Amino acid sequence: MMRDELTGQIAEIPGPIKAFVLREPRRVAAMLKGAGRLLIVVGNNVKNYESEDFDAIDFVVNLAKSLNAHINVTGPLITKFREKDYNKIYLMPALETIDRLRDNTWSGFDGEGRYNMAVFIGFPYYYEWLMLNGLKHFAYKWLRTISLDPYYHPNATFTLPSMDLDKWRSFMKEVLDLVRR
Amino acid sequence: MARRLRIKIDELKTDLGVLKGVELQVGKIVEEWEEPEGPTPMPSIADLRRWDYKLLQRYKPMYMPFCDLCCLCTFGKCDLSRDKRSACGLDMATQQSRIVLLACCIGVSTHLAHARDLVEWLIERYGRNAPLDLGTQVFLEAPNIRLVTGIKPRTLGDLEDALDYVETEVARLLACCHVGMEGSNLDFESKVFHAGMLDHVAMEIADIAQTALLGFPKADPEAPLVDIGLGVIDASKPVIMVIGHMIEPSVGIIDYLEEHGLEDAVEVCGLCCSAHELTRYSPKRGKIVGPISWQVRFVRSGVPDVVVIDEQCIRTNIHEEAKKVGAVTIATSAKNMQGFPDLTHEDPDKIVELLISGAIPGAFIHEEEAEKIGEVAVKAAIKLAPKRMKYKKPPSKEEIMQIAAKCRQCGECVRACPNNLPIKEGMMAAKNGDFSKLAALHDLCVGCLRCESACPVDIPVVTVMVKAAERIFKEEKFKIRVGRGPVQDVEIREVGQPIVLGEIPGVIAFVGCANYANGGREVAEMAEELLKRNYIVTVSGCAAMNIAMYKNEEGRTLYELYPGRFDAGGLVNVGSCVANSHISGAAIKIASIFAKKNLRANYAEIADYIHTRVGACGIAWGAMSQKAASIASGFWRLGVPVIVGPHGAKYRRMLLGRKDREEDWYVYDAFTGEKVWAGPVPEHLFYAAETKEEALVMAVKLCMRASDTTKGRAIKLSNYIDLHKKFFGTLPNDLHLFIRREADIPITMKDEVIEFLKKVGWKERREVPNPTLLEELVRKK
């Protein structure tokens, strides 16, 4: 196993089906652009990724705008998101979101049809691990998932490799640039 | 009720000779009590399945596998990914529910064995005919036992019948987990509920037995306030520390101290539920260190001289930790003997000598010999303390810096930490003489030591953290109200109506362990928010301790600020884990005392009543153990929702309602038989929240019930709306689902709510004053 495929927590050993690792920003961008109906699910820990020159909320909103994606904020950060100029931001708790996503008849926040891909960012590692695994087993026929957290998340369909935060911020900036093109 | 007749004769002189030690048992005596027996006395696995399925239709299991494989038999490992099946035919959903059942069987077995040992010990001391007197304010003394078994226990001996029943059922449930047994996930879930129901019976047996016989507070809302915190222990004295869940060792220690006039010479303190029991037994002498997560850090602080362990949730190598600081360990439960020599029948002075000399790694003295445990613990502490003073002093700054300097900054500690705490950064700062970062982690650390196991250069991370924060936390002193045990009948009579009508917005129980994602402070913050809003807040176990460990600006804890009454704005510490049965018991008592429902063996009707009328919700914010799983499942079967913290997602199955599916939320009007839409109340039965804000908003929402009057619903909605606005900035987007008529709308929020309702096309619906999920409860015309 490569170093960057070490899980975010030592004992979270993946099962037989593991994520495809996207090591290059262009691959992430391509995957997102070709995803179809896209939902970005944002946890409260996304604020932990901020730095002086990286506003995590701006990043998510700009990514969503570029992809015409829906954003589902799961916690109190919704108040910050609402300050942004984007009208496809919704609030639903994380596990309710997973429950909807595992239902192939759910037609999304706007009622226009189910999502083809769910993007996850900003959750405690173990919590996201479990959510992604629920979808891996019970929604795989209609939903692909991608984790944009700076950790290897083997239960997603696609994951980033584990990387430190500085590198991750540069990686994400590049993804955003590519998506905008 | 059937009761056994037992006759014990120590010595009988007759014309034929002398009979000694004769015990006769002649089957059972049939005894009646005033209440008619309901349909399900001592229900077996299938008897309440129909009720379970009613719940499971609303609250469908959502599985989030923690592991994709099954490795429980030699067919395996089997890959259960996606649509695959194991060699025995199980699919992923069924395997997950099977694991949940296994966890709950472990949980209920733990309380059950605890109850069995305790009852046997008490019978040995007080006899089978010792009355179960819970004080003058508790007439309905065993709501769970009465409801489930149909037994109205009057004496210690009566509890044995209930124990026999639970033991039989647990064996049946465990059998269902064997290979080639149950193949339906929903039937596994029904069995999970069964395990939970049994658990509340087992817990109640344990707690009413010890409360009745050992002089614990008996439903006393003014149970005394006692000390809690590391700073309350006088380290200059010999210190005995008890850890676990049993009372027997504490009884032995306290009694020995009192009998020998040593009360002021030795400090006795405890962690986890043993500490609750210690202070319930002796509020004057007992002190509480803190929740279970503090055990290693307290031992490493060097303060305890003798560590007395019993059972449940104890770090299994705590004796090694004790040894490192020159302390000694006494194991007291046969379920947890630690490889120590069995010295139950050895001379106490000899045991002390063996312990002090280090000739043995620790001593096992069976809990039945509580007096001997007390004597050995006290004598060992007195002898050992003067030799151990060097361990009780905080280390120098230089020592900490020296240890921290070994850190290679590999980050394995961070990956090993359940909360990914920034230990690496803390260690780097400590190396340079800044301990603040490490000290700040102290409150967030759950004390699991996984960081130390992972460290390639063997840095004792927790020790460094403890030492960095030692000067702060050794000063910390708080107050907690001693566990009061049951809720009084008169309290239920007073609050029954406002709870059922919704005028008291809800009963919220903070229960469970200390595996917090963001420290114990969040529990105190949530409790405070709800107390201010007039919820009845009941607490138990480690959660009760964490709530005590934060003060307001005036230096007072919530226990000093809020009364201990079971009433609006009351903070009710029932006690230890087994005292959780009094929380479920209070809900059952509302149905019995306030609504005058027949209780005896009438489970489904009472659960239906609680589910549709009693606005209650549990929050197990740091739930970690299998016991927490079975406690929660006992609440689920009563229709009471439970919220856990993010780590609770690892229980791998949620029970979630779908508020967007109108068809799921119909009830019968028990007067007319009409099916009426009552809304998603409560919306979920088991939910792992991501943040405390989400948990709070969810908890108040989950207190809404179908029977709420308009006034009650308005009060509940005002809390829901207000908290939602406070944390999420807007009106809840599902608000229309909870408003039946305009009169439900809180007056002060009317304009904005009506505007919202217009936008979503809301239509008025009727109330359902007599809701039920059970067709048979519809009144026959």
Side-chain angles (χ1 to χ4, degrees), chain A residues 7-10 16 43-44 74-76 82 93 95-96 99-100 102-103 126-127 130 133 136-137 140-141, chain B residues 61-62 64-65 68 79 81-83 92 415 417-418 420 517 647 658 661 683-684 687-688 690 694 728 730:
Chain A
T7 53
Q9 289 190 319
I10 282 177
N44 219 43
T74 61
R82 286 207 193 98
L95 296 193
E96 285 184 21
D99 198 26
R100 299 297 188 278
R102 73 174 178 138
D103 171 9
Y126 56 89
Y127 196 71
L130 287 156
N133 214 22
K136 181 175 90 179
H137 295 296
Y140 72 97
K141 286 179 182 163
Chain B
M62 183 181 85
M64 299 184 292
D68 298 354
D79 173 14
S81 300
R82 297 180 171 167
D83 296 327
M92 180 63 95
R415 280 187 71 224
C417 175
N420 296 116
H647 282 294
R658 281 286 298 265
R661 288 188 180 150
E683 187 182 346
H684 303 303
Y687 191 88
E690 178 196 352
E694 182 189 341
F728 301 130
T730 58

Side-chain angles (χ1 to χ4, degrees), chain B residues 313-555:
Chain B
C313 307
I314 301 160
R315 188 170 177 86
T316 50
N317 67 340
I318 196 74
H319 61 285
E320 291 171 8
E321 294 292 336
K323 199 174 178 184
K324 284 180 200 165
V325 292
V328 297
T329 305
I330 302 170
T332 60
S333 167
K335 294 164 219 151
N336 177 20
M337 297 169 76
Q338 295 290 336
F340 296 166
D342 184 352
L343 303 178
T344 304
H345 303 294
E346 186 56 86
D347 171 63
D349 290 318
K350 178 73 179 167
I351 304 172
V352 173
E353 189 189 315
L354 287 168
L355 281 170
I356 303 277
S357 66
I360 53 174
F364 172 72
I365 308 172
H366 197 285
E367 69 211 15
E368 286 171 0
E369 297 294 327
E371 293 78 6
K372 189 177 284 184
I373 294 166
E375 182 177 351
V376 172
V378 171
K379 285 182 171 173
I382 290 172
K383 279 197 173 175
L384 202 53
K387 300 176 186 171
R388 292 190 60 259
M389 291 317 284
K390 64 177 175 182
Y391 294 108
K392 302 192 181 192
K393 291 174 191 157
S396 66
K397 195 174 170 177
E398 289 68 31
E399 279 174 295
I400 302 175
M401 286 170 66
Q402 219 169 5
I403 300 171
K406 284 168 66 185
C407 177
R408 291 183 195 162
Q409 295 287 297
C410 69
E412 286 298 281
C413 50
V414 181
R415 280 187 71 224
C417 175
N419 292 320
N420 296 116
L421 292 178
I423 302 166
K424 193 169 81 166
E425 286 78 2
M427 209 58 81
M428 174 71 98
K431 196 155 108 177
N432 299 319
D434 170 10
F435 302 143
S436 61
K437 286 187 177 170
L438 269 186
L441 300 182
H442 174 262
D443 256 5
L444 306 175
C445 169
V446 294
C448 69
L449 302 192
R450 287 191 345 202
C451 48
E452 295 188 3
S453 291
C455 180
V457 290
D458 297 326
I459 293 177
V461 179
V462 171
T463 302
V464 179
M465 204 185 293
V466 166
K467 299 299 182 189
E470 192 163 32
R471 288 174 206 279
I472 306 164
F473 69 70
K474 275 197 169 175
E475 298 302 314
E476 291 189 335
K477 299 176 183 183
F478 309 93
K479 291 284 183 193
I480 180 172
R481 192 173 300 284
V482 166
R484 56 168 280 178
V487 174
Q488 297 174 357
D489 293 17
V490 68
E491 289 173 300
I492 295 291
R493 219 163 271 130
E494 284 167 11
V495 299
Q497 182 167 330
I499 289 174
V500 170
L501 300 183
E503 289 154 11
I504 288 178
V507 182
I508 298 195
F510 287 94
V511 301
C513 334
N515 186 21
Y516 304 118
N518 300 298
R521 177 181 287 273
E522 289 191 335
V523 189
E525 289 167 350
M526 285 192 277
E528 185 174 25
E529 182 75 55
L530 294 165
L531 285 164
K532 282 180 187 165
R533 292 170 182 274
N534 261 346
Y535 285 78
I536 300 175
V537 175
T538 64
V539 298
S540 66
C542 288
M545 297 181 188
N546 282 104
I547 284 171
M549 299 178 89
Y550 298 94
K551 293 175 182 171
N552 69 1
E553 286 156 2
E554 292 156 11

Side-chain angles (χ1 to χ4, degrees), chain B residues 40-331:
Chain B
T40 53
M42 301 200 180
S44 196
I45 291 177
D47 292 342
L48 291 163
R49 182 173 181 248
R50 195 170 147 264
W51 167 247
D52 298 337
Y53 268 63
K54 291 265 178 202
L55 291 174
L56 291 164
Q57 261 173 357
R58 283 187 151 195
Y59 308 104
K60 295 185 175 60
M62 183 181 85
Y63 299 105
M64 299 184 292
F66 205 19
C67 172
D68 298 354
L69 310 176
C70 177
C71 53
L72 286 179
C73 81
T74 65
F75 274 144
K77 301 178 180 175
C78 289
D79 173 14
L80 296 167
S81 300
R82 297 180 171 167
D83 296 327
K84 296 187 182 74
R85 285 186 181 267
S86 66
C88 70
L90 287 179
D91 63 12
M92 180 63 95
T94 314
Q95 170 67 2
Q96 297 309 303
S97 53
R98 182 187 183 204
I99 297 291
V100 177
L101 177 59
L102 262 177
C104 290
C105 282
I106 295 169
V108 59
S109 301
T110 308
H111 288 139
L112 176 59
H114 174 164
R116 172 64 80 180
D117 290 343
L118 184 60
V119 168
E120 283 182 358
W121 180 69
L122 291 169
I123 285 176
E124 195 61 36
R125 285 169 76 105
Y126 303 102
R128 276 200 169 78
N129 292 326
L132 292 173
D133 173 13
L134 293 176
T136 55
Q137 296 300 325
V138 179
F139 303 102
L140 208 170
E141 76 298 304
N144 278 285
I145 297 170
R146 289 190 191 196
L147 175 66
V148 176
T149 67
I151 296 171
K152 179 180 181 179
R154 293 185 171 89
T155 65
L156 265 182
D158 290 344
L159 296 175
E160 290 183 301
D161 289 336
L163 281 167
D164 292 345
Y165 157 69
V166 178
E167 283 164 353
T168 305
E169 287 303 301
V170 171
R172 286 184 175 136
L173 286 174
L174 200 51
C176 302
C177 300
H178 192 269
V179 66
M181 295 289 262
E182 187 57 77
S184 153
N185 70 308
L186 287 186
D187 273 320
F188 266 127
E189 298 296 352
S190 165
K191 291 170 173 70
V192 166
F193 288 1
H194 196 58
M197 179 194 73
L198 297 170
D199 193 24
H200 284 247
V201 174
M203 291 189 292
E204 189 173 88
I205 292 170
D207 209 58
I208 63 173
Q210 61 185 3
T211 301
L213 275 305
L214 294 175
F216 287 11
K218 292 179 175 175
D220 181 4
E222 290 176 10
L225 292 167
V226 294
D227 292 330
I228 179 170
L230 281 163
V232 304
I233 317 297
D234 182 351
S236 68
K237 293 180 184 176
V239 178
I240 301 170
M241 164 202 191
V242 294
I243 321 178
H245 287 72
M246 300 290 283
I247 182 60
E248 293 92 316
S250 296
V251 168
I253 294 162
I254 295 290
D255 287 358
Y256 185 86
L257 288 171
E258 289 182 353
E259 281 160 20
H260 293 81
L262 295 167
E263 300 98 313
D264 297 324
V266 176
E267 287 279 84
V268 187
C269 58
L271 279 116
C272 200
C273 287
S274 290
H276 275 301
E277 312 304 30
L278 168 67
T279 53
R280 291 168 91 186
Y281 184 65
S282 178
K284 279 187 187 164
R285 307 282 165 229
K287 292 177 177 175
I288 301 178
V289 175
I292 195 69
S293 53
W294 287 46
Q295 56 183 316
V296 170
R297 63 186 97 161
F298 185 54
V299 170
R300 289 196 183 176
S301 75
V303 172
D305 299 294
V306 175
V307 178
V308 179
I309 57 173
D310 50 81
E311 60 173 71
Q312 305 167 41
C313 307
I314 301 160
R315 188 170 177 86
T316 50
N317 67 340
I318 196 74
H319 61 285
E320 291 171 8
E321 294 292 336
K323 199 174 178 184
K324 284 180 200 165
V325 292
V328 297
T329 305
I330 302 170

